[in-house]
Amino acid sequence: MSTTAVSVGQAVLLGYAAVLLFIAIVAISFKDKPGRRHRLAMTSSVAAGSLGRATVVFSLLLFATAYAAFADQPDKLATLFLTWVVIFVWRPVERLIEVRRRLTVHAPADAMVIERVEEPAILVVRLPPGRTVTVGSQLTLESVSGIAQATVVDATLLLVRQTARLALKRPLPVAVGDAIAFTEAKGELQAVGHVSSGTTLQRLVIEQTAVGPGVVMEEGMLVETSTDGREPVLHQVVSAEVKSLGEPEARRDVIEVGARKLGRWDSARSTFEVVPWLPAPGTTVSAHSGGEWTFTADKIGHVPGTGYGLGLEVHMAVTHNTAILGILGIGKTTLASEVIRRMLAEGVKVVVLDPTDRYAVEFADICDRATQREIEISIDELVSGQLNDTAMRTTDRGHQEAGNRGEFEAAIRDLLKRFWDGDARLLVLNPSAFAVTRMDGGVYSGNANRLVAFTAVEVTQLIAQALLDLARDSSESEETSSQSIAADGEASTPTGTSSQSGETARICLVLEEAHSLVPESNSSAGFAEKDAVVRTARAIMQGRKYGYGCIVITQRTANVTKSILNQCNSIFAMRIYDATGMEFLQNYVGHDYAGLLSALPPREAVVFGRALNCESPVVLRLNDASDVRAHWAGVDSSVPKTSMSALGDGDDGDSAPVDDDAIPF
């Protein structure tokens, strides 16, 4: 062994190691960089993987060692090189093993060969020439270890042979290289993929590379899988992301689909039944066909692509409060109109505070614009005389005040009392239409230093508090009457229409453009508005036990006080873009559904809450406006029309104002 030969051998090995190390460092350093550096990193990664293979390292070591030991003996070098060719090129040992395996298995010529076992129930196979399968095909596999049923969840044609990914119903003991006979059963599943890693109790992760014939994937569609061998469990698609899997030299792109678990559909109760646990890894996931949707009056909408409709429990919507959120022009008012008409049909009285004047047009058949203006003008006539009166006056409760705030509160309370006692069920008011003033600052020589205009926020507070007082007084009066009747031994009959849930709604306050009526503190125009919003929230919070609640409608979730939004148990979340609104709704519907909000089409909403009988959030396609108007046109004829005569003549506005501080919290 010459010293020169040894030096050459060492230099070759060290040079190889240095080059391999340099390539690996480049791959690691630039893997997260953009542009050309990222492409360089990918190329370096492939090169490092190829040069670092065991066969390459062993071959180089063999060549260097052989040269160092036998540089002056050509015959021995030739023998070693020939041995390397036999072992690494001809691979006699591997060939013998393959021949023995084929003789043992006795596989037919048209058998598929297993190329990879990805999971216990996921096999990647290569089909024999001339045989093809499609996504969703049902196969029966036969091997020496048993028989199993499988579904094709991916199929790719490479040259003249097809590669397929199979999802087995149960694991089959096989090894890479095994030949398996297969037969194709009749019928196909609308397979969309298989259960993959990351699946949790509530979220299904689907690995998808292709879909079956006739399957069109989209947000909101239902997919099904099995967790316990019973009826399929339904999930709703809420996200999708393209991901690259595999080693750099064998990388493939897949779509990772996320779907939230809904459960099993209970047709008797028109809701989703909660199902425990999660599907096994590799379980086939297929598109769900839930029938065709036909408009049904007792449903507020249906799950897209199915005939599964959800109803609205009106009394729960009132007593537990409801929020309708979405951008301008997305259909909030149309939805609110349908909800209000359902309330009116159930005998629930509704007071709408509408700064937009749209509801008088929407409900022209019940409370038209002329009636709304007549009511507002009648109140203005009662209070306009004191509008600019700075003289201090003593109220019945001993308070000093100026302006016409006291007179306005008395007039509003009288109007609402007549509405409560009368047959009319709908009252529409514009809180910005009233001219009201109150004192601001100190008193000088028996006069207020300054009068300021009442805002719509403050008008809203007076109405919210007046409705609470009416609901409470009526409830206490009925309770006293019931106790008296019970003492006489007679059966008592509660007032109002009872709901299936046992909750009875009496009156609902609708806050249209709620961001201007109950704004968040950072959007309020001063202390008076902030105080008014707090009082409105407290009135609504107390209202449930008296059958009093609200509907909040807004396009600016961030600007509405969370003291009221957080009281809304039922949510209709239509398309929104603002980050604050999505963050707020994420607490209700979760990250996945919150991510859908910016892409929802018109007339679709993420809904959740007791009024909708939903245990989990779900994307709902709301009823078409044309169907709603056609149906309720006939029903509304039974709802009493609102008019001044229906409200009565009043009592000359002599109702005493209520002390704002006398609120029992």
Side-chain angles (χ1 to χ4, degrees):
M1 181 182 295
S2 67
T3 304
T4 303
V6 171
S7 299
V8 171
Q10 291 177 341
V12 169
L13 289 177
L14 290 176
Y16 166 78
V19 170
L20 186 60
L21 179 62
F22 175 76
I23 294 175
I25 292 175
V26 170
I28 295 173
S29 301
F30 296 151
K31 68 182 182 66
D32 296 324
K33 302 297 182 181
R36 293 181 178 178
R37 289 181 292 179
H38 179 73
R39 290 193 293 272
L40 176 61
M42 296 299 294
T43 303
S44 300
S45 179
V46 173
S50 300
L51 294 177
R53 289 179 177 177
T55 53
V56 175
V57 174
F58 183 78
S59 298
L60 187 62
L61 178 62
L62 177 64
F63 291 154
T65 304
Y67 179 79
F70 306 112
D72 54 351
Q73 302 179 46
D75 54 336
K76 292 184 177 181
L77 276 178
T79 302
L80 285 174
F81 290 155
L82 180 60
T83 303
W84 176 85
V85 170
V86 172
I87 295 175
F88 289 99
V89 178
W90 292 350
R91 305 178 69 181
V93 176
E94 288 85 346
R95 290 176 182 271
L96 287 174
I97 293 174
E98 177 64 17
V99 170
R100 181 179 181 279
R101 188 189 64 79
R102 288 180 179 275
L103 292 175
T104 302
V105 174
H106 299 292
D110 61 348
M112 62 175 63
V113 178
I114 297 178
E115 289 196 337
R116 192 164 64 252
V117 180
E118 294 186 340
E119 295 178 15
I122 296 292
L123 305 179
V124 176
V125 300
R126 181 176 291 277
L127 274 69
R131 293 292 300 272
T132 60
V133 292
T134 59
V135 174
S137 297
Q138 304 294 294
L139 305 180
T140 299
L141 310 183
E142 299 181 21
S143 72
V144 294
S145 56
I147 298 175
Q149 303 299 317
T151 302
V152 179
V153 294
D154 181 26
T156 304
L157 187 64
L158 296 175
L159 298 178
V160 296
R161 301 183 69 180
Q162 189 181 52
T163 298
R165 181 171 284 100
L166 310 181
L168 279 63
K169 292 186 176 181
R170 64 175 182 82
L172 185 67
V174 292
V176 174
D178 285 357
I180 298 180
F182 69 99
T183 56
E184 188 171 356
K186 294 182 179 180
E188 293 183 344
L189 282 178
Q190 290 188 313
V192 298
H194 64 274
V195 177
S196 185
S197 61
T199 296
T200 65
L201 292 174
Q202 294 299 324
R203 189 174 192 270
L204 177 68
V205 177
I206 308 165
E207 183 179 315
Q208 178 196 87
T209 54
V211 295
V215 179
V216 178
M217 296 292 291
E218 60 182 13
E219 307 96 307
M221 72 173 289
L222 296 189
V223 295
E224 63 181 45
T225 186
S226 177
T227 59
D228 52 12
R230 295 169 55 200
E231 294 181 15
V233 179
L234 303 181
H235 299 72
Q236 189 167 47
V237 174
V238 293
S239 65
E241 180 181 0
V242 176
K243 288 193 171 184
S244 294
L245 302 178
E247 299 299 326
E249 65 274 12
R251 189 171 296 276
R252 62 190 180 93
D253 290 337
V254 302
I255 300 177
E256 185 178 278
V257 180
R260 285 292 297 270
K261 182 166 71 175
L262 300 180
R264 292 190 181 95
W265 177 251
D266 185 339
S267 57
R269 297 171 52 233
S270 293
T271 189
F272 291 98
E273 173 192 353
V274 176
V275 178
W277 209 231
L278 72 168
T283 303
T284 303
V285 182
S286 57
H288 178 74
S289 176
E292 296 293 329
W293 167 250
T294 302
F295 173 76
T296 306
D298 63 342
K299 300 296 186 288
I300 197 74
H302 66 282
V303 179
T306 74
Y308 302 151
L310 292 182
L312 179 71
E313 222 295 358
V314 166
H315 294 267
M316 295 289 286
V318 175
T319 58
H320 287 70
N321 305 312
T322 300
I324 300 175
L325 315 173
I327 62 172
L328 182 66
I330 201 64
K332 300 187 303 298
T333 302
T334 302
L335 172 60
S337 171
E338 180 180 357
V339 173
I340 292 171
R341 291 183 188 277
R342 291 177 181 275
M343 292 178 180
L344 298 177
E346 289 281 332
V348 179
K349 291 181 179 288
V350 180
V351 177
V352 180
L353 300 187
D354 175 29
T356 68
D357 286 332
R358 290 186 56 190
Y359 283 76
V361 177
E362 186 71 28
F363 290 93
D365 52 334
I366 302 176
C367 181
D368 59 19
R369 178 60 179 152
T371 301
Q372 178 186 342
R373 286 299 301 144
E374 187 177 1
I375 294 171
E376 293 168 351
I377 290 172
S378 68
I379 292 178
D380 279 339
E381 289 176 348
L382 290 173
V383 304
S384 59
Q386 292 79 30
L387 179 65
N388 298 312
D389 188 358
T390 60
M392 299 299 298
R393 302 182 301 282
T394 302
T395 66
D396 293 341
R397 304 188 65 85
H399 288 188
Q400 293 286 312
E401 65 176 25
N404 64 350
R405 179 196 184 282
E407 288 76 11
F408 175 75
E409 182 178 3
I412 281 291
R413 284 180 170 272
D414 176 63
L415 170 68
L416 295 176
K417 181 65 167 63
R418 287 184 280 131
F419 173 67
W420 181 279
D421 294 336
D423 294 331
R425 296 181 192 172
L426 178 64
L427 182 61
V428 181
L429 300 173
N430 184 343
S432 301
F434 301 108
V436 187
T437 57
R438 60 174 175 81
M439 63 176 290
D440 183 54
V443 179
Y444 180 75
S445 298
N447 290 283
N449 282 339
R450 184 175 66 161
L451 295 178
V452 295
F454 232 41
T455 66
V457 175
E458 294 169 282
V459 172
T460 299
Q461 183 271 317
L462 289 182
I463 294 174
Q465 182 62 45
L467 291 176
L468 173 63
D469 293 339
L470 285 169
R472 180 174 55 230
D473 292 346
S474 176
S475 179
E476 292 174 352
S477 176
E478 289 182 5
E479 183 178 354
T480 301
S481 176
S482 297
Q483 292 174 352
S484 176
I485 293 174
D488 293 337
E490 299 179 17
S492 60
T493 302
T495 302
T497 303
S498 179
S499 71
Q500 296 177 355
S501 62
E503 301 276 354
T504 301
R506 298 168 176 268
I507 193 162
C508 180
L509 177 63
V510 178
L511 303 176
E512 176 63 67
E513 300 289 337
H515 51 274
S516 62
L517 301 181
V518 282
E520 192 67 284
S521 58
N522 57 7
S523 301
S524 300
F527 174 78
E529 282 200 351
K530 293 180 181 179
D531 181 65
V533 170
V534 171
R535 292 176 181 274
T536 300
R538 288 175 178 172
I540 292 172
M541 180 173 61
Q542 296 177 70
R544 176 187 170 188
K545 54 188 174 183
Y546 305 120
Y548 167 43
C550 76
I551 297 178
V552 175
I553 307 164
T554 184
Q555 57 184 290
R556 301 176 185 174
T557 309
N559 295 347
V560 178
T561 177
K562 303 307 178 287
S563 299
I564 291 180
L565 276 181
N566 288 333
Q567 296 182 48
C568 294
N569 178 274
S570 298
I571 301 289
F572 289 87
M574 307 175 83
R575 188 193 308 164
I576 61 173
Y577 295 122
D578 66 288
T580 304
M582 291 185 183
E583 182 179 355
F584 169 78
L585 287 168
Q586 186 172 323
N587 297 325
Y588 281 87
V589 302
H591 174 76
D592 289 325
Y593 278 108
L596 275 182
L597 293 174
S598 62
L600 286 175
R603 304 298 298 156
E604 283 193 9
V606 177
V607 304
F608 175 71
R610 295 184 64 180
L612 293 146
N613 199 18
C614 282
E615 297 288 342
S616 302
V618 61
V619 174
L620 203 67
R621 171 74 186 181
L622 302 172
N623 291 334
D624 290 337
S626 57
D627 291 333
V628 172
R629 291 191 177 95
H631 170 74
W632 291 103
V635 178
D636 289 343
S637 60
S638 63
V639 177
K641 305 297 186 289
T642 305
S643 64
M644 288 299 292
S645 59
L647 294 173
D649 296 331
D651 56 5
D652 301 325
D654 59 356
S655 298
V658 173
D659 181 6
D660 285 340
D661 296 324
I663 303 176
F665 298 131

